[in-house]
Amino acid sequence: HEDSTHSEHAKAFVESKTFTGTKPEIVPWTRAMPVPPVLKPVVSTAKQEIYQLSIERTTAEILPGLKSPVMGFGGQFVGPTIRAKTGRKTLIMFHNELDEAANVHLHGGHVAPEHDGHPKDVIEPGRTRLYLYPNSQQGTTLWYHDHSHGTEAAHVYLGLHGAYVIEDDSERALNLPSGAYDVPILLRDIQFDDSGNIVVFDDPSKRTVVLANGVPQPYFEVAARKYRFRLVNSANQRVFHLKLSGDKFTRIGSDGGLLAGTLEQDELVLSSAERSDIVIDFSKHPVGSHVVLTDSVAGEILRFDVVRRASDSSRVPAKLRPLPAMPYSTVDRVVDLAFFFKPNDRPDGTINGKVFDMDRVDFTIKRGTTETWLIKSSDPTGVKHNFHLHLVQFRVLERNGGPPLPGDAGLKDTIPITAGETVKVQATFTGYTGRYVYHCHFLEHSWIGMMAQLEIVP
Ligand code: C2O
Ligand code: CU
């Protein structure tokens, strides 16, 4: 059955032509926001779950009536959600059905280097690779995406992204909204030409169509009760400034798991690859009303339609769970993200003045050490970047010499940084030895070199 689905996807892809007509218009609130299905394990025991997932070309109806050629895990433009549990291993056999190399990175995952989807560590076309995710970290919202050297930006843009949710017992004991009331939402942007063809790389500011779980301006029917939404910014290169019409966000979680306590925010800033878990209590809104999620640039993104009453035994306590204590830091480093301009050529992306080299180690770190990194951008252009560190979650100590922003709260693996800014973060490098990357998560920036490598040694 799996095989026939795959070949049908591939056939549809081959048959999808270059569109020559007029781009169909997006009519807001005419399509429901899909909830990516939860992937079913092929084997499940108390200790581990084993999954199979393809990496393939497929089509997706993003604009009404057009089947656009895209890529997808399991043939889905937003890949299936993988649900894991702290203390139970996840093993996934990824089969690369593309005609080019690809790989998989579990963003925010505490995993061994050989399972981290290092840029040089790819799955050749036609090959299968087993990734082992130990799920030794606490409950949180992660996501998985391609990280293959030189092709990562195009692959993620074309759809190789999906949510990976870890649950844990102490979080479950809090009785937050769960089950059908716990919904991941991947937000991203995309550009179409006048005929409705996907434009892969142009000026990112032309990616004016914003998708929620793969659909532009969908509605989502909700009951008048509390929902948990796991927001993931899966856009290649974007900072969302989100608001809710007639309501606030109650934030409960960040990149690495629950916040110490809820944060009420009017505006939510989410740069590429950052996550934010929020609760919206629709019982404050009468049945028949709408709550609209907007972005300061893109405008209206998603409409929640309150359509029925429902009972609700979930709770959202103001105090959630204390964050782990921060050990004493013994090493200071500086990480400077900047473009380097060359006459008559595209700029290079650099970190500390160097373009990424997969065979060069930029920082050598002793396992178990706690370090303080000053992340800055001396970029001459004033553009935005962001910073992502593999393997560990960090804490933001300071932003521009002052207190961190609300978006910096909790356990983080990705933060936005604008030219001229400085952000002090602290991380403890526990668990594994080996090589991991850190980079700007604006994927067209890391693609041109804004990436570097650390090695953890015994
Ligand atoms: Cu989201 Cu280096 O990755
Ligand atoms: Cu950048």
Side-chain angles (χ1 to χ4, degrees), residues 105 107 143 145 147 152 273 388 390 437 439 441 451:
H105 168 56
H107 182 116
W143 63 300
H145 63 77
H147 213 308
E152 148 198 30
H388 169 48
H390 282 221
V437 293
H439 56 93
H441 215 291
M451 172 140 59

Side-chain angles (χ1 to χ4, degrees), residues 337 339 384-386 440-442 445-446 450:
L337 311 164
F339 282 129
K384 288 178 179 145
H385 297 289
N386 81 4
C440 179
H441 215 291
F442 285 180
H445 295 187
S446 49
M450 203 174 285

Side-chain angles (χ1 to χ4, degrees), residues 376-425:
K376 60 181 212 165
S377 173
S378 61
D379 204 294
T381 58
V383 299
K384 288 178 179 145
H385 297 289
N386 81 4
F387 170 78
H388 169 48
L389 175 60
H390 282 221
L391 180 67
V392 290
Q393 300 288 329
F394 55 78
R395 299 279 287 279
V396 178
L397 306 177
E398 264 176 39
R399 190 176 272 271
N400 303 323
L405 294 171
D408 299 327
L411 295 166
K412 295 291 295 173
D413 54 55
T414 309
I415 45 165
I417 179 151
T418 302
E421 278 199 303
T422 55
V423 187
K424 205 183 259 186
V425 306

Side-chain angles (χ1 to χ4, degrees), residues 1-8:
H1 169 75
E2 281 272 283
D3 283 347
S4 73
T5 324
H6 293 165
S7 56
E8 270 154 38

Side-chain angles (χ1 to χ4, degrees), residues 268-291:
L268 199 67
V269 179
L270 209 60
S271 75
S272 292
E274 284 188 287
R275 286 86 68 209
S276 194
D277 280 23
I278 59 161
V279 171
I280 304 177
D281 186 355
F282 295 104
S283 71
K284 293 183 288 185
H285 303 276
V287 169
S289 65
H290 309 305
V291 177

